[in-house]
Structure formats: C-alpha cells, structure tokens
C-alpha cells in the first residue's frame, strides 16, 4: 500500500514538473514576442518624435542651397572655370620643349626654353577671356541659388496654404456631420421634411470630396517641396517674422533689382569674354616675338655650338582662314549676348511689377478676409437659431456654412500668399540671398 502511494506521488510529481516546464516555455515565448513588440513600439515612438519636429523656412532654404544638384553643378563649374583661369595665366611663363633629331649624322637631343615677349595681345586676351568666363560661372552659381530659393519658398508657402485649407475642409466636414445629425433628428420626429435630410447628406458628401481634393493638392505640394530640398520634409511651421522693408518707390526698387541681378552680371561677363575672344582672334593673325635658349645634347656637327640664345619672330596664322572665321564667330556671339541683355531687363521689370501688384492686392485684402470669416461664422450661428424658430429655411443654413468655408479658404490664400509675395520680392531685390537668410525668423 505504501508502494502504491509512493508511485502515485511520483506520478503527480512528474506531471507537476511537466506542467511547470510547459508553463515556463510558454512564458518565455510570450516574453520574447512581447519584447520584440515593445522594441518595435519604441522604434515607432522614436520615429514619431523625430518626425514631429517642425521645420522652418530658413532651415529648408539652407538645406536646399547645400545639396541641390543644380547648385552643386554650378559650383563645380565655377571651380573648373577658376582652374581654367589659372591655366591661362601660366601662358605668361616660359615654355620648355624637347625634340630628338636625326638627319644625316648621329641623333641629337635639342632642348629649348622660350619666353614670349610680344604676342599681339593673344596671351592677355586669353587671360581676360578666362577671367570673364570665371565671373560668368560665379554669376551662374548665384542664378542657381536664386532659382532654388524661389522654388523652395514657393513650395513651402503652397504647403502651408493647402494645410490651412485642409484644416478648414476638415472643420467643414465636422460641421456638416453635426448639421446632418440635427436634421436627421428633426426628420425622425417629423418636424422637418425628408428633403432637408437628403440635402444635408448631399452637402456632406460634397464637403468630403472637397477635403479629399485639398488633401491631394497638399500632398502634391509636399512632394514638390521634398524634391527641391532633397530629403523628406516633416511638419513645417510658418515663419514667426519676415523682416521686410519695402523701398520708397518703384523706381528705386527696380534699380536695386537690376543692380543685384545675377543674370545681368552673367551676361556682362559673357560680353567681356566675347570681346576678349575677338582680341585673341585678331592677335592670331599677328607674329609672335619670343626670346629663347637652346641646348643641344649629343654629337655636334662641324661649327655647331652646344648652346645658344636667340630672338625669334614666329608666325602661325592657323589653317586656312580660320583666324578670320574665329573672329566672326566671336563677333556674332557678342551681338547675341548684347541683345539678350535687353530681354533680361524687360523680364526683371515685368516680374517686379507683377510681384508688387500681387503684394498690394494681398495686403489690402488680408484684413477684410479676417472680418469676412468672423462675419460668416456669426451668420451660420444666427441662421441656425432662426431656422429653429422658423424664420430661415434649411437651405439658408447650408449656404451660410458654405460661405463660411469659402471665407476660411480665402483667408488662407491671402495670409500665405502675402508672405510668399514678400519673400519673392526680397529675392528679386537682393535683400534675401544665399549668404543672408537671417531676414526670415523661424
């Protein structure tokens, strides 16, 4: 009997041990699974916190200037132009040459060192052309930077404008849902006709469709902003202040725009390069006077000196009439650049006047837009109270809500359109540049 009890106790102990092992394995698996989930949650929370940091316009402008391909390419081109200018300046130094000659006797190695004394303006013309090309390349860098600043700021304010409109669209949907719930209760209580509920549902669907359309426009504006900044853009925040000082007169503003125009500086440099190239083409038809030193290595002929110094008049006009053709090409390019200057000046003036007109219109409409929105909100509440006492119909209430939403859209357009016009005018007049972004306070 004692053996039977002992066996039973052993069986219970083995079963308890098995159950304990199973329980521990299950706990381990659960702990492992939940640990991975916890790690994933932590990662997601970290990403959310990192992405939730708001980015300002000044930060995005600085990023775009440092990494956009067009700016990088223009800077590399300017660097190459600087090296070409250095290479052209070496033309003033002596030229070392060596040749191995074998005529009727033993081979001779002849080494020459020649210093140009007079080239008819060819060397100085080549240096001047290289310097002008470098200035044109530097102006192209400023043009690329201006284009990036303009595109980034435009996309930035477009995102803000569409986000403000999206907030209004979401408020509109919420308000229509509230109105639908109100009219549905009245229809259920047989106070209002079913047609009012049908109209409310139709207006709600219209509001939802409008919200979807604005969301798509906001997303497209974000994609444009990301393309110009070169990286994903999280939440953005409007500038706290834009230090904008409008010039006293339009003539003074136009003068500043022409003085700071990188395009005009580029064209002026191209004109100087073309004039220098004309001088080089003319000098190509002139002889060159050089002073030289020659050293002969190897067996000498009878009466031949191993070294000598000399003055030499060299004339190499080129193949055929290539010098004349090169001059004609340079003259044609000069005329083309000069004609482009007038077109650029007219374009700058037209853009400046367009920006001024837009800026004045936005500034004049901003305060009325605020008042319009406030009045439209009061009209909605008033019409809703009057509807409940029978002095307004349901269509009046829905129309008032639509006017309120349109007023909110208009305010967003005026507010961010005004800031965008201010920044664009600062870019056109040179107040906002790649090295002067402090006028925008994030």
């Amino acid at each position: 009997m004692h053996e039977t009890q002992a066996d039973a106790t052993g069986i219970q102990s083995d079963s308890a041990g098995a159950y304990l092992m199973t329980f521990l394995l299950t706990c381990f698996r659960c702990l492992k699974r939940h640990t991975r989930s916890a790690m994933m949650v932590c990662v997601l929370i970290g990403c959310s916190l990192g992405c939730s940091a708001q980015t300002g316009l000044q930060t995005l402008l600085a990023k775009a200037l440092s990494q956009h391909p067009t700016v990088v390419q223009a800077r590399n081109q300017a660097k190459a132009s600087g090296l070409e200018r250095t290479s052209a300046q070496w033309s003033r130094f002596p030229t070392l040459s060596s040749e191995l000659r074998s005529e009727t006797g033993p081979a001779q190695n002849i080494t020459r060192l020649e210093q140009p004394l007079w080239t008819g303006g060819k060397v100085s013309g080549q240096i001047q052309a290289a310097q002008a090309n470098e200035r044109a390349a530097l102006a192209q860098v400023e043009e690329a930077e201006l284009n990036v600043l303009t595109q980034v700021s435009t996309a930035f304010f477009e995102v803000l404008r569409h986000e403000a409109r999206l907030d209004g669209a979401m408020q509109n949907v919420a308000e229509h849902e509230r109105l639908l719930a109100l009219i549905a209760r009245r229809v259920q209580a047989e106070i209002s006709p079913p047609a009012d509920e049908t109209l409310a549902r139709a207006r709600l669907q219209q509001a939802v469709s409008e919200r979807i359309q604005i969301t798509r426009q906001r997303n497209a504006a974000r994609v444009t902003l990301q393309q110009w900044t070169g990286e994903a853009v999280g939440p953005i925040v409007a500038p706290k202040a834009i230090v904008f000082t409008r010039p006293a007169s339009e003539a003074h503003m136009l003068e500043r725009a022409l003085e700071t125009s990188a395009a005009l500086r580029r064209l002026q440099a191209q004109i100087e390069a073309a004039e220098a190239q004309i001088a080089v083409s003319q000098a190509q038809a002139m002889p060159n006077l050089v002073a030289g030193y020659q050293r002969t290595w190897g067996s000498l002929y009878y009466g031949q000196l191993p070294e000598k110094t000399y003055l030499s008049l060299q004339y190499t006009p080129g193949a055929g009439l290539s010098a004349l053709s090169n001059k004609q090409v340079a003259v044609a390019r000069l005329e083309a650049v000069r004609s482009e200057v007038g077109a650029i000046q007219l374009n700058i003036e037209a853009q400046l006047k367009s920006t001024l007109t837009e800026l004045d219109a936005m500034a004049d409409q901003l305060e009325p837009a605020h008042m319009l929105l406030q009045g439209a909100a009061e009209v909605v509440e008033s019409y809703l109270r009057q509807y409940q006492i029978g002095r307004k119909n349901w269509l009046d209430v829905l129309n008032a809500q639509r006017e309120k939403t349109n007023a909110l859209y208009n305010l967003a357009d005026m507010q961010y359109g005004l800031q965008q016009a201010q920044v664009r005018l600062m870019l056109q007049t040179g107040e906002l540049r790649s090295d002067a972004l402090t006028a925008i306070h994030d």
Side-chain angles (χ1 to χ4, degrees):
M1 182 174 179
H2 292 291
E3 293 179 358
T4 304
Q5 290 179 353
D7 294 339
T9 302
I11 292 173
Q12 291 177 358
S13 299
D14 294 339
S15 301
Y19 289 146
L20 180 60
M21 289 298 296
T22 304
F23 175 75
L24 291 176
L25 288 174
T26 304
C27 291
F28 178 76
R29 294 193 183 108
C30 292
L31 179 61
K32 186 177 180 181
R33 182 167 60 250
H34 288 295
T35 301
R36 291 178 178 175
S37 301
M39 292 176 63
M40 293 178 63
V41 170
C42 291
V43 172
L44 292 175
I45 291 175
C47 293
S48 300
L49 291 176
C51 296
S52 62
Q54 292 181 329
T55 307
L57 177 58
Q58 183 179 356
T59 302
L60 292 178
L61 291 176
K63 288 183 179 179
L65 288 174
S66 64
Q67 61 190 14
H68 196 271
T70 57
V71 177
V72 175
Q73 184 271 339
R75 289 172 179 170
N76 291 334
Q77 185 64 36
K79 182 179 179 180
S81 298
L83 296 176
E84 289 179 352
R85 184 254 309 159
T86 303
S87 176
Q89 290 175 341
W90 281 110
S91 300
R92 297 186 182 275
F93 289 80
T95 300
L96 180 65
S97 62
S98 179
E99 64 174 312
L100 183 63
R101 178 184 300 176
S102 177
E103 296 179 355
T104 58
Q108 292 181 340
N109 186 3
I110 302 176
T111 301
R112 295 187 181 91
L113 186 65
E114 294 183 340
Q115 169 66 48
L117 300 179
W118 184 79
T119 59
K122 181 178 180 181
V123 172
S124 59
Q126 290 175 343
I127 294 176
Q128 292 173 3
Q131 292 174 342
N133 288 331
E134 183 182 14
R135 291 193 296 270
L138 293 175
Q140 286 180 336
V141 173
E142 295 185 18
E143 283 188 273
E145 292 175 344
L146 177 61
N147 182 49
V148 169
L149 292 175
T150 302
Q151 296 297 334
V152 171
S153 60
T154 300
F156 180 85
F157 287 112
E158 279 297 298
V159 172
L160 289 178
R161 185 175 70 88
H162 283 105
E163 286 184 347
R165 290 172 67 94
L166 182 58
D167 291 339
M170 296 175 67
Q171 295 177 17
N172 188 34
V173 171
E175 186 65 20
H176 275 288
E177 289 176 346
R178 185 177 72 89
L179 294 177
L180 177 59
L182 172 64
I183 198 64
R185 290 192 299 268
R186 292 176 63 90
V187 171
Q188 186 177 5
E190 298 183 354
I191 301 176
S192 299
D196 288 349
E197 182 179 357
T198 302
L199 181 59
R201 291 186 182 278
R203 291 294 179 89
L204 175 59
Q205 294 302 319
Q206 182 180 0
V208 171
S209 177
E210 194 172 65
R211 182 192 62 188
I212 294 173
Q213 180 181 2
I214 294 177
T215 302
R216 185 170 61 251
Q217 294 173 349
R218 190 276 309 269
N219 294 339
R222 274 194 167 277
V223 170
T224 302
L225 182 59
Q226 291 175 3
Q227 289 177 345
W228 282 100
T229 55
E231 61 183 27
V233 179
I236 61 176
V237 59
K240 295 180 180 178
I242 298 177
V243 183
F244 172 72
T245 303
R246 181 166 178 169
S249 63
E250 182 178 334
H252 180 61
M253 198 177 308
L254 178 59
E255 181 181 357
R256 287 174 54 180
L258 294 175
E259 289 177 355
T260 59
S261 173
L264 289 179
R265 287 200 300 274
R266 172 180 57 81
L267 292 177
Q268 181 61 36
Q270 290 178 350
I271 289 175
E272 295 172 358
E275 292 174 346
Q277 191 60 42
I278 292 175
V280 171
S281 300
Q282 292 175 344
Q284 192 172 356
M286 304 292 291
N288 299 332
L289 179 63
V290 300
Y293 168 78
Q294 177 177 309
R295 181 71 166 86
T296 305
W297 310 87
S299 300
L300 301 177
Y301 300 117
Y302 178 76
Q304 185 181 9
L305 298 176
E307 57 182 14
K308 62 180 179 179
T309 57
Y310 59 90
L311 287 176
S312 173
L313 192 64
Q314 302 174 353
Y315 181 63
T316 54
L321 299 177
S322 59
L324 179 61
S325 298
N326 291 335
K327 180 181 177 181
Q328 293 174 347
V329 170
V331 171
R333 288 178 177 173
L334 177 61
E335 295 301 324
V337 175
R338 284 177 175 172
S339 62
E340 189 178 356
V341 171
I344 292 294
Q345 290 176 343
L346 292 177
N347 188 29
I348 292 174
E349 183 178 0
Q351 289 181 353
L352 185 63
K353 290 183 177 180
S354 176
T355 303
L356 284 174
T357 302
E358 182 180 355
L359 181 63
D360 293 338
M362 296 288 182
D364 293 340
Q365 297 179 56
L366 184 59
E367 185 62 27
H370 280 283
M371 298 176 61
L372 177 62
L373 178 58
Q374 182 180 358
E378 294 175 355
V379 168
V380 172
E381 298 299 328
S382 175
Y383 276 25
L384 190 57
R385 292 192 298 267
Q386 295 183 52
Y387 167 73
Q388 293 175 352
I389 62 177
R391 298 185 61 182
K392 292 292 182 180
N393 58 39
W394 185 242
L395 182 61
D396 293 334
V397 176
L398 295 179
N399 287 341
Q401 174 60 31
R402 182 170 60 187
E403 292 297 328
K404 174 186 173 182
T405 303
N406 290 336
L408 198 151
Y409 293 161
N410 180 65
L411 177 60
D413 295 342
M414 295 300 107
Q415 181 177 358
Y416 294 110
L418 177 61
Q419 292 184 340
Q420 180 179 344
Q422 290 175 345
V423 172
R424 187 164 63 249
L425 185 61
M426 293 171 66
L427 289 171
Q428 291 173 351
T429 56
E431 293 185 13
L432 189 63
R433 305 183 305 276
S434 60
D435 57 346
L437 299 177
T438 55
I440 298 177
H441 300 286
D442 290 339

